[in-house]
Amino acid sequence: MSSPVPPPPYKVVLLGDSSVGKTSLVTRFTTSRFNQHTANTIGAAFITKEHSVDDRKVHFEIWDTAGQERYRSLTPMYYRNARVALVCFDMDNVEESLNTAKYWIDQLAVNGGTDSSVPIRIKLVGNKRDLLQTHEDTRRQEEQEAIEGFCSENDLEQLWETSAKDGHGVNELFDGIVKDIEEDF
Ligand code: GDP
Ligand code: MG
């Protein structure tokens, strides 16, 4: 009998402006909870989580990075060898947070990927989707156009909409990550 193939590393990194909800997304995914008040992430946090998908379990290694500019020079070490980068923005603060998302996408193009030269997969995550209901129709329209333009300019297939607050889209996002990783493995 041949020995079983070791599983791929399910290593994920969250990038994006501070306060877009990166830590909250990880907390929602790992504990099913949400806090209105969160502490700023210092440097980065490492979280592991066993996740059931279909009929098996995968073991996620998640790096939740700080968004603040003063930590930016440290961040490449967190996405080194990561398979998937979640580039997160705030659907309630689209213009500013997409600008920072662009910064990270450009950084990943230069420094992303693994030693085995598997390119890092980028998923664009629009968090705080629950707050969209407070936006008027014209504002929503403009934001949607800005997001669509951003996706096509940066060759991003899909926007993953989430709410760490009500949990919308969070499990689907992590299921999608498993699929990405296994396609490349
Ligand atoms: P980070 O700096 O990107 O890690 O952001 P945090 O997770 O610390 O969240 C910043 C603030 O946004 C906190 O007050 C959170 O409670 C809030 N927040 C995070 N995600 C959501 C969300 O999906 N909806 C709403 N309404 N607030 C959120
Ligand atoms: Mg944080």
Side-chain angles (χ1 to χ4, degrees), residues 16-27 34-41 64-68 88 90 92 127-131 162-167:
D17 217 348
S18 65
S19 80
V20 301
K22 300 177 296 299
T23 300
S24 299
L25 276 173
V26 176
T27 303
F34 175 74
N35 291 319
Q36 206 70 51
H37 304 286
T38 56
N40 274 344
T41 307
D64 171 23
T65 65
Q68 289 98 325
C88 304
D90 179 350
D92 196 40
N127 186 46
K128 306 197 188 182
R129 179 190 186 273
D130 58 287
L131 294 176
T162 59
S163 167
K165 186 170 185 179
D166 64 25

PDB file of all heavy atoms in Angstrom, residues 16-27 34-41 64-68 88 90 92 127-131 162-167, ligand 1:
ATOM      1  N   GLY A  16      -5.408  43.971   4.611  1.00  0.00           N
ATOM      2  CA  GLY A  16      -6.386  45.040   4.373  1.00  0.00           C
ATOM      3  C   GLY A  16      -6.235  46.140   5.402  1.00  0.00           C
ATOM      4  O   GLY A  16      -5.554  45.972   6.418  1.00  0.00           O
ATOM      5  N   ASP A  17      -6.903  47.245   5.130  1.00  0.00           N
ATOM      6  CA  ASP A  17      -6.833  48.419   5.990  1.00  0.00           C
ATOM      7  C   ASP A  17      -7.230  48.063   7.419  1.00  0.00           C
ATOM      8  O   ASP A  17      -7.979  47.109   7.634  1.00  0.00           O
ATOM      9  CB  ASP A  17      -7.825  49.462   5.452  1.00  0.00           C
ATOM     10  CG  ASP A  17      -7.287  50.868   5.576  1.00  0.00           C
ATOM     11  OD1 ASP A  17      -6.273  51.055   6.273  1.00  0.00           O
ATOM     12  OD2 ASP A  17      -7.892  51.774   4.972  1.00  0.00           O
ATOM     13  N   SER A  18      -6.780  48.848   8.381  1.00  0.00           N
ATOM     14  CA  SER A  18      -7.201  48.575   9.753  1.00  0.00           C
ATOM     15  C   SER A  18      -8.682  48.912   9.892  1.00  0.00           C
ATOM     16  O   SER A  18      -9.203  49.783   9.195  1.00  0.00           O
ATOM     17  CB  SER A  18      -6.350  49.355  10.763  1.00  0.00           C
ATOM     18  OG  SER A  18      -6.559  50.704  10.594  1.00  0.00           O
ATOM     19  N   SER A  19      -9.329  48.144  10.718  1.00  0.00           N
ATOM     20  CA  SER A  19     -10.754  48.255  11.067  1.00  0.00           C
ATOM     21  C   SER A  19     -11.746  47.870   9.958  1.00  0.00           C
ATOM     22  O   SER A  19     -12.932  48.146  10.074  1.00  0.00           O
ATOM     23  CB  SER A  19     -11.089  49.616  11.682  1.00  0.00           C
ATOM     24  OG  SER A  19     -11.235  50.586  10.706  1.00  0.00           O
ATOM     25  N   VAL A  20     -11.274  47.190   8.933  1.00  0.00           N
ATOM     26  CA  VAL A  20     -12.228  46.655   7.944  1.00  0.00           C
ATOM     27  C   VAL A  20     -12.926  45.386   8.463  1.00  0.00           C
ATOM     28  O   VAL A  20     -13.926  44.944   7.900  1.00  0.00           O
ATOM     29  CB  VAL A  20     -11.576  46.364   6.568  1.00  0.00           C
ATOM     30  CG1 VAL A  20     -10.970  47.637   5.981  1.00  0.00           C
ATOM     31  CG2 VAL A  20     -10.538  45.261   6.645  1.00  0.00           C
ATOM     32  N   GLY A  21     -12.356  44.799   9.522  1.00  0.00           N
ATOM     33  CA  GLY A  21     -13.001  43.636  10.136  1.00  0.00           C
ATOM     34  C   GLY A  21     -12.267  42.311   9.952  1.00  0.00           C
ATOM     35  O   GLY A  21     -12.880  41.250  10.054  1.00  0.00           O
ATOM     36  N   LYS A  22     -10.956  42.373   9.759  1.00  0.00           N
ATOM     37  CA  LYS A  22     -10.188  41.135   9.563  1.00  0.00           C
ATOM     38  C   LYS A  22     -10.239  40.244  10.806  1.00  0.00           C
ATOM     39  O   LYS A  22     -10.528  39.052  10.724  1.00  0.00           O
ATOM     40  CB  LYS A  22      -8.719  41.473   9.214  1.00  0.00           C
ATOM     41  CG  LYS A  22      -8.577  42.284   7.947  1.00  0.00           C
ATOM     42  CD  LYS A  22      -7.123  42.658   7.663  1.00  0.00           C
ATOM     43  CE  LYS A  22      -6.487  43.565   8.703  1.00  0.00           C
ATOM     44  NZ  LYS A  22      -7.163  44.876   8.856  1.00  0.00           N
ATOM     45  N   THR A  23      -9.944  40.849  11.950  1.00  0.00           N
ATOM     46  CA  THR A  23      -9.957  40.073  13.195  1.00  0.00           C
ATOM     47  C   THR A  23     -11.365  39.546  13.473  1.00  0.00           C
ATOM     48  O   THR A  23     -11.542  38.394  13.890  1.00  0.00           O
ATOM     49  CB  THR A  23      -9.451  40.947  14.361  1.00  0.00           C
ATOM     50  OG1 THR A  23      -8.111  41.362  14.064  1.00  0.00           O
ATOM     51  CG2 THR A  23      -9.460  40.187  15.676  1.00  0.00           C
ATOM     52  N   SER A  24     -12.350  40.367  13.197  1.00  0.00           N
ATOM     53  CA  SER A  24     -13.744  39.949  13.441  1.00  0.00           C
ATOM     54  C   SER A  24     -14.137  38.777  12.541  1.00  0.00           C
ATOM     55  O   SER A  24     -14.892  37.897  12.959  1.00  0.00           O
ATOM     56  CB  SER A  24     -14.687  41.122  13.194  1.00  0.00           C
ATOM     57  OG  SER A  24     -14.387  42.173  14.071  1.00  0.00           O
ATOM     58  N   LEU A  25     -13.641  38.776  11.311  1.00  0.00           N
ATOM     59  CA  LEU A  25     -13.947  37.653  10.408  1.00  0.00           C
ATOM     60  C   LEU A  25     -13.351  36.351  10.941  1.00  0.00           C
ATOM     61  O   LEU A  25     -14.006  35.312  10.912  1.00  0.00           O
ATOM     62  CB  LEU A  25     -13.366  37.922   9.009  1.00  0.00           C
ATOM     63  CG  LEU A  25     -14.193  38.768   8.068  1.00  0.00           C
ATOM     64  CD1 LEU A  25     -13.385  39.082   6.808  1.00  0.00           C
ATOM     65  CD2 LEU A  25     -15.489  38.045   7.704  1.00  0.00           C
ATOM     66  N   VAL A  26     -12.114  36.440  11.415  1.00  0.00           N
ATOM     67  CA  VAL A  26     -11.461  35.248  11.958  1.00  0.00           C
ATOM     68  C   VAL A  26     -12.205  34.784  13.211  1.00  0.00           C
ATOM     69  O   VAL A  26     -12.442  33.588  13.405  1.00  0.00           O
ATOM     70  CB  VAL A  26      -9.969  35.526  12.253  1.00  0.00           C
ATOM     71  CG1 VAL A  26      -9.327  34.318  12.907  1.00  0.00           C
ATOM     72  CG2 VAL A  26      -9.229  35.888  10.972  1.00  0.00           C
ATOM     73  N   THR A  27     -12.599  35.730  14.041  1.00  0.00           N
ATOM     74  CA  THR A  27     -13.328  35.383  15.271  1.00  0.00           C
ATOM     75  C   THR A  27     -14.671  34.742  14.936  1.00  0.00           C
ATOM     76  O   THR A  27     -15.069  33.743  15.543  1.00  0.00           O
ATOM     77  CB  THR A  27     -13.546  36.647  16.132  1.00  0.00           C
ATOM     78  OG1 THR A  27     -12.276  37.217  16.409  1.00  0.00           O
ATOM     79  CG2 THR A  27     -14.240  36.313  17.440  1.00  0.00           C
ATOM     80  N   PHE A  34     -19.220  37.513  17.710  1.00  0.00           N
ATOM     81  CA  PHE A  34     -18.910  38.846  17.188  1.00  0.00           C
ATOM     82  C   PHE A  34     -18.808  39.828  18.345  1.00  0.00           C
ATOM     83  O   PHE A  34     -19.636  39.806  19.251  1.00  0.00           O
ATOM     84  CB  PHE A  34     -19.998  39.311  16.222  1.00  0.00           C
ATOM     85  CG  PHE A  34     -19.809  40.728  15.743  1.00  0.00           C
ATOM     86  CD1 PHE A  34     -18.824  41.041  14.819  1.00  0.00           C
ATOM     87  CD2 PHE A  34     -20.614  41.760  16.226  1.00  0.00           C
ATOM     88  CE1 PHE A  34     -18.631  42.347  14.390  1.00  0.00           C
ATOM     89  CE2 PHE A  34     -20.435  43.075  15.792  1.00  0.00           C
ATOM     90  CZ  PHE A  34     -19.442  43.364  14.867  1.00  0.00           C
ATOM     91  N   ASN A  35     -17.796  40.697  18.320  1.00  0.00           N
ATOM     92  CA  ASN A  35     -17.683  41.758  19.322  1.00  0.00           C
ATOM     93  C   ASN A  35     -17.783  43.115  18.646  1.00  0.00           C
ATOM     94  O   ASN A  35     -17.106  43.364  17.651  1.00  0.00           O
ATOM     95  CB  ASN A  35     -16.320  41.698  20.031  1.00  0.00           C
ATOM     96  CG  ASN A  35     -16.211  40.490  20.917  1.00  0.00           C
ATOM     97  OD1 ASN A  35     -17.167  40.126  21.601  1.00  0.00           O
ATOM     98  ND2 ASN A  35     -15.057  39.845  20.890  1.00  0.00           N
ATOM     99  N   GLN A  36     -18.593  43.962  19.238  1.00  0.00           N
ATOM    100  CA  GLN A  36     -18.703  45.330  18.727  1.00  0.00           C
ATOM    101  C   GLN A  36     -17.390  46.079  18.955  1.00  0.00           C
ATOM    102  O   GLN A  36     -17.008  46.937  18.181  1.00  0.00           O
ATOM    103  CB  GLN A  36     -19.853  46.025  19.461  1.00  0.00           C
ATOM    104  CG  GLN A  36     -20.493  47.157  18.689  1.00  0.00           C
ATOM    105  CD  GLN A  36     -21.293  46.676  17.478  1.00  0.00           C
ATOM    106  OE1 GLN A  36     -22.136  45.791  17.593  1.00  0.00           O
ATOM    107  NE2 GLN A  36     -21.003  47.249  16.326  1.00  0.00           N
ATOM    108  N   HIS A  37     -16.718  45.732  20.027  1.00  0.00           N
ATOM    109  CA  HIS A  37     -15.466  46.411  20.366  1.00  0.00           C
ATOM    110  C   HIS A  37     -14.325  45.413  20.254  1.00  0.00           C
ATOM    111  O   HIS A  37     -14.344  44.388  20.908  1.00  0.00           O
ATOM    112  CB  HIS A  37     -15.534  46.988  21.781  1.00  0.00           C
ATOM    113  CG  HIS A  37     -16.698  47.896  21.950  1.00  0.00           C
ATOM    114  ND1 HIS A  37     -16.741  49.156  21.402  1.00  0.00           N
ATOM    115  CD2 HIS A  37     -17.899  47.703  22.536  1.00  0.00           C
ATOM    116  CE1 HIS A  37     -17.913  49.703  21.660  1.00  0.00           C
ATOM    117  NE2 HIS A  37     -18.640  48.848  22.346  1.00  0.00           N
ATOM    118  N   THR A  38     -13.391  45.746  19.410  1.00  0.00           N
ATOM    119  CA  THR A  38     -12.251  44.851  19.224  1.00  0.00           C
ATOM    120  C   THR A  38     -10.981  45.619  19.509  1.00  0.00           C
ATOM    121  O   THR A  38     -10.949  46.848  19.391  1.00  0.00           O
ATOM    122  CB  THR A  38     -12.176  44.329  17.779  1.00  0.00           C
ATOM    123  OG1 THR A  38     -12.142  45.453  16.893  1.00  0.00           O
ATOM    124  CG2 THR A  38     -13.362  43.452  17.427  1.00  0.00           C
ATOM    125  N   ALA A  39      -9.937  44.909  19.892  1.00  0.00           N
ATOM    126  CA  ALA A  39      -8.640  45.560  20.093  1.00  0.00           C
ATOM    127  C   ALA A  39      -7.887  45.540  18.772  1.00  0.00           C
ATOM    128  O   ALA A  39      -8.055  44.620  17.972  1.00  0.00           O
ATOM    129  CB  ALA A  39      -7.858  44.808  21.155  1.00  0.00           C
ATOM    130  N   ASN A  40      -7.079  46.575  18.541  1.00  0.00           N
ATOM    131  CA  ASN A  40      -6.230  46.564  17.347  1.00  0.00           C
ATOM    132  C   ASN A  40      -5.282  45.382  17.405  1.00  0.00           C
ATOM    133  O   ASN A  40      -4.739  45.066  18.451  1.00  0.00           O
ATOM    134  CB  ASN A  40      -5.388  47.840  17.287  1.00  0.00           C
ATOM    135  CG  ASN A  40      -6.129  48.973  16.619  1.00  0.00           C
ATOM    136  OD1 ASN A  40      -7.139  48.754  15.940  1.00  0.00           O
ATOM    137  ND2 ASN A  40      -5.642  50.177  16.812  1.00  0.00           N
ATOM    138  N   THR A  41      -5.105  44.772  16.260  1.00  0.00           N
ATOM    139  CA  THR A  41      -4.137  43.681  16.176  1.00  0.00           C
ATOM    140  C   THR A  41      -2.737  44.295  16.168  1.00  0.00           C
ATOM    141  O   THR A  41      -2.481  45.239  15.430  1.00  0.00           O
ATOM    142  CB  THR A  41      -4.374  42.884  14.879  1.00  0.00           C
ATOM    143  OG1 THR A  41      -5.751  42.508  14.838  1.00  0.00           O
ATOM    144  CG2 THR A  41      -3.509  41.649  14.813  1.00  0.00           C
ATOM    145  N   ASP A  64      -3.645  36.636  10.844  1.00  0.00           N
ATOM    146  CA  ASP A  64      -4.462  37.859  10.857  1.00  0.00           C
ATOM    147  C   ASP A  64      -3.507  39.026  11.083  1.00  0.00           C
ATOM    148  O   ASP A  64      -2.945  39.161  12.165  1.00  0.00           O
ATOM    149  CB  ASP A  64      -5.482  37.737  12.004  1.00  0.00           C
ATOM    150  CG  ASP A  64      -6.229  39.029  12.250  1.00  0.00           C
ATOM    151  OD1 ASP A  64      -6.310  39.859  11.324  1.00  0.00           O
ATOM    152  OD2 ASP A  64      -6.729  39.201  13.381  1.00  0.00           O
ATOM    153  N   THR A  65      -3.297  39.824  10.052  1.00  0.00           N
ATOM    154  CA  THR A  65      -2.281  40.882  10.156  1.00  0.00           C
ATOM    155  C   THR A  65      -2.894  42.195  10.627  1.00  0.00           C
ATOM    156  O   THR A  65      -4.103  42.403  10.555  1.00  0.00           O
ATOM    157  CB  THR A  65      -1.588  41.129   8.798  1.00  0.00           C
ATOM    158  OG1 THR A  65      -2.557  41.631   7.864  1.00  0.00           O
ATOM    159  CG2 THR A  65      -0.971  39.850   8.248  1.00  0.00           C
ATOM    160  N   ALA A  66      -2.027  43.084  11.095  1.00  0.00           N
ATOM    161  CA  ALA A  66      -2.459  44.426  11.485  1.00  0.00           C
ATOM    162  C   ALA A  66      -2.561  45.279  10.233  1.00  0.00           C
ATOM    163  O   ALA A  66      -1.756  45.143   9.319  1.00  0.00           O
ATOM    164  CB  ALA A  66      -1.451  45.037  12.448  1.00  0.00           C
ATOM    165  N   GLY A  67      -3.532  46.156  10.191  1.00  0.00           N
ATOM    166  CA  GLY A  67      -3.674  46.981   8.999  1.00  0.00           C
ATOM    167  C   GLY A  67      -2.811  48.228   9.013  1.00  0.00           C
ATOM    168  O   GLY A  67      -2.573  48.833   7.977  1.00  0.00           O
ATOM    169  N   GLN A  68      -2.336  48.624  10.186  1.00  0.00           N
ATOM    170  CA  GLN A  68      -1.670  49.929  10.282  1.00  0.00           C
ATOM    171  C   GLN A  68      -0.388  49.993   9.453  1.00  0.00           C
ATOM    172  O   GLN A  68       0.367  49.037   9.374  1.00  0.00           O
ATOM    173  CB  GLN A  68      -1.301  50.276  11.737  1.00  0.00           C
ATOM    174  CG  GLN A  68      -2.494  50.593  12.589  1.00  0.00           C
ATOM    175  CD  GLN A  68      -2.908  49.375  13.403  1.00  0.00           C
ATOM    176  OE1 GLN A  68      -2.796  48.252  12.934  1.00  0.00           O
ATOM    177  NE2 GLN A  68      -3.377  49.619  14.598  1.00  0.00           N
ATOM    178  N   CYS A  88      -9.092  42.215   2.264  1.00  0.00           N
ATOM    179  CA  CYS A  88     -10.391  42.624   2.818  1.00  0.00           C
ATOM    180  C   CYS A  88     -10.587  44.133   2.700  1.00  0.00           C
ATOM    181  O   CYS A  88      -9.655  44.908   2.903  1.00  0.00           O
ATOM    182  CB  CYS A  88     -10.465  42.248   4.295  1.00  0.00           C
ATOM    183  SG  CYS A  88     -10.163  40.494   4.608  1.00  0.00           S
ATOM    184  N   ASP A  90     -13.859  47.330   3.454  1.00  0.00           N
ATOM    185  CA  ASP A  90     -15.049  47.636   4.251  1.00  0.00           C
ATOM    186  C   ASP A  90     -16.148  48.139   3.312  1.00  0.00           C
ATOM    187  O   ASP A  90     -15.977  49.178   2.674  1.00  0.00           O
ATOM    188  CB  ASP A  90     -14.642  48.718   5.272  1.00  0.00           C
ATOM    189  CG  ASP A  90     -15.774  49.163   6.178  1.00  0.00           C
ATOM    190  OD1 ASP A  90     -16.943  48.793   5.922  1.00  0.00           O
ATOM    191  OD2 ASP A  90     -15.475  49.917   7.130  1.00  0.00           O
ATOM    192  N   ASP A  92     -18.667  49.537   4.015  1.00  0.00           N
ATOM    193  CA  ASP A  92     -19.207  50.790   4.532  1.00  0.00           C
ATOM    194  C   ASP A  92     -18.213  51.942   4.353  1.00  0.00           C
ATOM    195  O   ASP A  92     -18.488  53.071   4.764  1.00  0.00           O
ATOM    196  CB  ASP A  92     -19.547  50.599   6.025  1.00  0.00           C
ATOM    197  CG  ASP A  92     -20.459  51.699   6.538  1.00  0.00           C
ATOM    198  OD1 ASP A  92     -21.379  52.105   5.790  1.00  0.00           O
ATOM    199  OD2 ASP A  92     -20.247  52.157   7.681  1.00  0.00           O
ATOM    200  N   ASN A 127     -16.293  43.147   3.519  1.00  0.00           N
ATOM    201  CA  ASN A 127     -16.903  42.846   4.818  1.00  0.00           C
ATOM    202  C   ASN A 127     -17.842  43.991   5.250  1.00  0.00           C
ATOM    203  O   ASN A 127     -17.871  45.045   4.630  1.00  0.00           O
ATOM    204  CB  ASN A 127     -15.795  42.602   5.850  1.00  0.00           C
ATOM    205  CG  ASN A 127     -16.346  42.135   7.176  1.00  0.00           C
ATOM    206  OD1 ASN A 127     -17.200  41.244   7.234  1.00  0.00           O
ATOM    207  ND2 ASN A 127     -15.889  42.728   8.270  1.00  0.00           N
ATOM    208  N   LYS A 128     -18.573  43.751   6.313  1.00  0.00           N
ATOM    209  CA  LYS A 128     -19.584  44.689   6.849  1.00  0.00           C
ATOM    210  C   LYS A 128     -20.752  44.836   5.875  1.00  0.00           C
ATOM    211  O   LYS A 128     -21.351  45.903   5.740  1.00  0.00           O
ATOM    212  CB  LYS A 128     -18.991  46.062   7.208  1.00  0.00           C
ATOM    213  CG  LYS A 128     -17.787  45.970   8.153  1.00  0.00           C
ATOM    214  CD  LYS A 128     -17.470  47.287   8.817  1.00  0.00           C
ATOM    215  CE  LYS A 128     -16.149  47.195   9.585  1.00  0.00           C
ATOM    216  NZ  LYS A 128     -15.793  48.435  10.290  1.00  0.00           N
ATOM    217  N   ARG A 129     -21.067  43.765   5.213  1.00  0.00           N
ATOM    218  CA  ARG A 129     -22.179  43.756   4.271  1.00  0.00           C
ATOM    219  C   ARG A 129     -23.493  44.145   4.957  1.00  0.00           C
ATOM    220  O   ARG A 129     -24.373  44.728   4.339  1.00  0.00           O
ATOM    221  CB  ARG A 129     -22.285  42.344   3.694  1.00  0.00           C
ATOM    222  CG  ARG A 129     -23.387  42.134   2.722  1.00  0.00           C
ATOM    223  CD  ARG A 129     -23.492  40.642   2.446  1.00  0.00           C
ATOM    224  NE  ARG A 129     -24.465  40.391   1.394  1.00  0.00           N
ATOM    225  CZ  ARG A 129     -25.752  40.240   1.618  1.00  0.00           C
ATOM    226  NH1 ARG A 129     -26.235  40.338   2.829  1.00  0.00           N
ATOM    227  NH2 ARG A 129     -26.572  40.000   0.611  1.00  0.00           N
ATOM    228  N   ASP A 130     -23.610  43.823   6.245  1.00  0.00           N
ATOM    229  CA  ASP A 130     -24.833  44.168   6.997  1.00  0.00           C
ATOM    230  C   ASP A 130     -25.110  45.660   6.985  1.00  0.00           C
ATOM    231  O   ASP A 130     -26.262  46.083   7.143  1.00  0.00           O
ATOM    232  CB  ASP A 130     -24.712  43.649   8.442  1.00  0.00           C
ATOM    233  CG  ASP A 130     -23.489  44.206   9.163  1.00  0.00           C
ATOM    234  OD1 ASP A 130     -22.354  43.773   8.836  1.00  0.00           O
ATOM    235  OD2 ASP A 130     -23.630  45.064  10.029  1.00  0.00           O
ATOM    236  N   LEU A 131     -24.062  46.491   6.799  1.00  0.00           N
ATOM    237  CA  LEU A 131     -24.268  47.944   6.846  1.00  0.00           C
ATOM    238  C   LEU A 131     -24.753  48.513   5.513  1.00  0.00           C
ATOM    239  O   LEU A 131     -25.139  49.684   5.447  1.00  0.00           O
ATOM    240  CB  LEU A 131     -22.972  48.645   7.276  1.00  0.00           C
ATOM    241  CG  LEU A 131     -22.532  48.345   8.708  1.00  0.00           C
ATOM    242  CD1 LEU A 131     -21.184  49.008   9.014  1.00  0.00           C
ATOM    243  CD2 LEU A 131     -23.578  48.817   9.725  1.00  0.00           C
ATOM    244  N   THR A 162     -19.102  39.468   2.930  1.00  0.00           N
ATOM    245  CA  THR A 162     -19.248  38.858   4.256  1.00  0.00           C
ATOM    246  C   THR A 162     -19.784  39.861   5.262  1.00  0.00           C
ATOM    247  O   THR A 162     -19.700  41.078   5.068  1.00  0.00           O
ATOM    248  CB  THR A 162     -17.886  38.357   4.798  1.00  0.00           C
ATOM    249  OG1 THR A 162     -16.991  39.469   4.873  1.00  0.00           O
ATOM    250  CG2 THR A 162     -17.286  37.261   3.934  1.00  0.00           C
ATOM    251  N   SER A 163     -20.303  39.337   6.340  1.00  0.00           N
ATOM    252  CA  SER A 163     -20.558  40.133   7.533  1.00  0.00           C
ATOM    253  C   SER A 163     -20.080  39.326   8.729  1.00  0.00           C
ATOM    254  O   SER A 163     -20.641  38.270   9.033  1.00  0.00           O
ATOM    255  CB  SER A 163     -22.052  40.437   7.691  1.00  0.00           C
ATOM    256  OG  SER A 163     -22.285  40.942   9.001  1.00  0.00           O
ATOM    257  N   ALA A 164     -19.035  39.841   9.373  1.00  0.00           N
ATOM    258  CA  ALA A 164     -18.582  39.177  10.597  1.00  0.00           C
ATOM    259  C   ALA A 164     -19.648  39.328  11.669  1.00  0.00           C
ATOM    260  O   ALA A 164     -19.735  38.528  12.588  1.00  0.00           O
ATOM    261  CB  ALA A 164     -17.264  39.786  11.065  1.00  0.00           C
ATOM    262  N   LYS A 165     -20.481  40.350  11.512  1.00  0.00           N
ATOM    263  CA  LYS A 165     -21.507  40.617  12.526  1.00  0.00           C
ATOM    264  C   LYS A 165     -22.617  39.571  12.494  1.00  0.00           C
ATOM    265  O   LYS A 165     -22.939  38.970  13.515  1.00  0.00           O
ATOM    266  CB  LYS A 165     -22.084  42.018  12.323  1.00  0.00           C
ATOM    267  CG  LYS A 165     -23.051  42.411  13.412  1.00  0.00           C
ATOM    268  CD  LYS A 165     -23.423  43.869  13.318  1.00  0.00           C
ATOM    269  CE  LYS A 165     -24.308  44.243  14.499  1.00  0.00           C
ATOM    270  NZ  LYS A 165     -24.668  45.661  14.435  1.00  0.00           N
ATOM    271  N   ASP A 166     -23.203  39.347  11.316  1.00  0.00           N
ATOM    272  CA  ASP A 166     -24.307  38.373  11.265  1.00  0.00           C
ATOM    273  C   ASP A 166     -23.876  37.022  10.677  1.00  0.00           C
ATOM    274  O   ASP A 166     -24.684  36.102  10.585  1.00  0.00           O
ATOM    275  CB  ASP A 166     -25.523  38.949  10.523  1.00  0.00           C
ATOM    276  CG  ASP A 166     -25.265  39.243   9.052  1.00  0.00           C
ATOM    277  OD1 ASP A 166     -24.361  38.610   8.455  1.00  0.00           O
ATOM    278  OD2 ASP A 166     -25.968  40.102   8.479  1.00  0.00           O
ATOM    279  N   GLY A 167     -22.617  36.932  10.276  1.00  0.00           N
ATOM    280  CA  GLY A 167     -22.082  35.650   9.813  1.00  0.00           C
ATOM    281  C   GLY A 167     -22.274  35.393   8.323  1.00  0.00           C
ATOM    282  O   GLY A 167     -21.765  34.397   7.798  1.00  0.00           O
TER     283      GLY A 167
HETATM  284  P1  GDP B   1      -9.449  44.841  11.770  1.00  0.00           P
HETATM  285  O1  GDP B   1      -8.650  46.026  12.211  1.00  0.00           O
HETATM  286  O2  GDP B   1      -9.519  44.751  10.276  1.00  0.00           O
HETATM  287  O3  GDP B   1      -8.991  43.574  12.414  1.00  0.00           O
HETATM  288  O4  GDP B   1     -10.959  45.115  12.237  1.00  0.00           O
HETATM  289  P2  GDP B   1     -11.713  44.583  13.535  1.00  0.00           P
HETATM  290  O5  GDP B   1     -12.088  43.160  13.383  1.00  0.00           O
HETATM  291  O6  GDP B   1     -10.923  44.948  14.736  1.00  0.00           O
HETATM  292  O7  GDP B   1     -13.081  45.410  13.482  1.00  0.00           O
HETATM  293  C1  GDP B   1     -13.111  46.848  13.537  1.00  0.00           C
HETATM  294  C2  GDP B   1     -14.500  47.300  13.955  1.00  0.00           C
HETATM  295  O8  GDP B   1     -15.470  46.935  12.963  1.00  0.00           O
HETATM  296  C3  GDP B   1     -14.991  46.678  15.272  1.00  0.00           C
HETATM  297  O9  GDP B   1     -15.715  47.656  15.992  1.00  0.00           O
HETATM  298  C4  GDP B   1     -15.920  45.560  14.805  1.00  0.00           C
HETATM  299  O10 GDP B   1     -16.918  45.277  15.769  1.00  0.00           O
HETATM  300  C5  GDP B   1     -16.508  46.156  13.536  1.00  0.00           C
HETATM  301  N1  GDP B   1     -16.899  45.132  12.541  1.00  0.00           N
HETATM  302  C6  GDP B   1     -16.128  44.139  12.084  1.00  0.00           C
HETATM  303  N2  GDP B   1     -16.785  43.393  11.175  1.00  0.00           N
HETATM  304  C7  GDP B   1     -18.024  43.931  11.072  1.00  0.00           C
HETATM  305  C8  GDP B   1     -19.183  43.600  10.287  1.00  0.00           C
HETATM  306  O11 GDP B   1     -19.221  42.659   9.490  1.00  0.00           O
HETATM  307  N3  GDP B   1     -20.278  44.420  10.448  1.00  0.00           N
HETATM  308  C9  GDP B   1     -20.280  45.467  11.300  1.00  0.00           C
HETATM  309  N4  GDP B   1     -21.395  46.189  11.390  1.00  0.00           N
HETATM  310  N5  GDP B   1     -19.202  45.808  12.046  1.00  0.00           N
HETATM  311  C10 GDP B   1     -18.098  45.049  11.934  1.00  0.00           C
END
